[in-house]
Amino acid sequence: MTIQQPARQTVDLAMFGGDRAVPRELGIRPWPMVTGQDEQAVHRVLRSGRFTSASSGEQEIAGLEREWARFVGTEHCVAVSNGTAALSVALGAAGVEPGDEVIVPALSFIGSATAPLHLMAVPVFVDIDPVTFNLDPAALEAAITSRTKAIVVVHLHGLPADMDRITEIAARHGITVVEDAAQAHGARYRGRSVGSIGAVNTFSLNVSKNLATCGEGGLITTDDADVATRA
């Protein structure tokens, strides 16, 4: 007796002749979307004549820091020039020094690995989970040595990494966890905002991100007042 298997249905991607995921009539939306409220905010800054945090009476940057700390659920936020700078400053504030090893995922934006290099530390690449594309906790533990000072955990493409297992491993070895949430603004892990779980954490405000400026920017979050002061 022969059992006939049902025919398999395949769906081609649009680039290979399949249907478009986004109908053509919707068009291409510009990103970031600049609203009238955004334009008013820029004009407010221009009229103030205060363009850096060193300007006497400047309130916009401090306001952003307060609002983002409140949104994420941390005690402190420090605004910096971009997401890679945020990682470099966060690692330095966490005590990473020349010669220390910093574990980073093998799949990420280049900034995850260049940030340790800015401190003359050594990035150690660890493989990812093939399902989530985030740091594989088992591979992470195998890569820890006596020189490991920090772990950079990237929430790639907005999907939170397995923070329970990662923080448990880090705590057992006395290693600092730094969340790189550059692509994960607003994402939550078991009810907590990403960027509030590690000892010190970072976000990017690059024009390509889901919380975008019209250029560059970065944010560092932490509950540790000493780390925030050093940053």
Side-chain angles (χ1 to χ4, degrees), residues 20 22-34 207-208:
R20 293 170 59 95
V22 178
R24 190 178 300 276
E25 58 268 21
L26 290 181
I28 298 174
R29 304 290 179 90
W31 185 258
M33 296 178 67
V34 179
V207 68
S208 67

Side-chain angles (χ1 to χ4, degrees), residues 87-88 90-91 96 101-106 108-109 111-113 115-116 123-124 126 135 140 148-155 161 163 166 175-181 200 202:
L87 270 177
S88 298
L91 289 169
V96 172
E101 291 180 352
V102 177
I103 290 176
V104 301
S108 182
F109 176 67
S112 302
V124 176
V126 168
L135 197 66
L140 160 65
T148 305
K149 191 63 173 284
I151 302 164
V152 173
V153 182
V154 179
H155 304 298
M163 292 303 295
I166 291 170
I175 299 169
T176 299
V177 173
V178 178
E179 291 180 79
D180 179 350
V200 57
T202 65

Side-chain angles (χ1 to χ4, degrees), residues 104-107 124-130 133-140 143:
V104 301
L107 178 64
V124 176
F125 295 99
V126 168
D127 208 353
I128 57 162
D129 181 296
F133 299 117
N134 284 325
L135 197 66
D136 181 350
L140 160 65

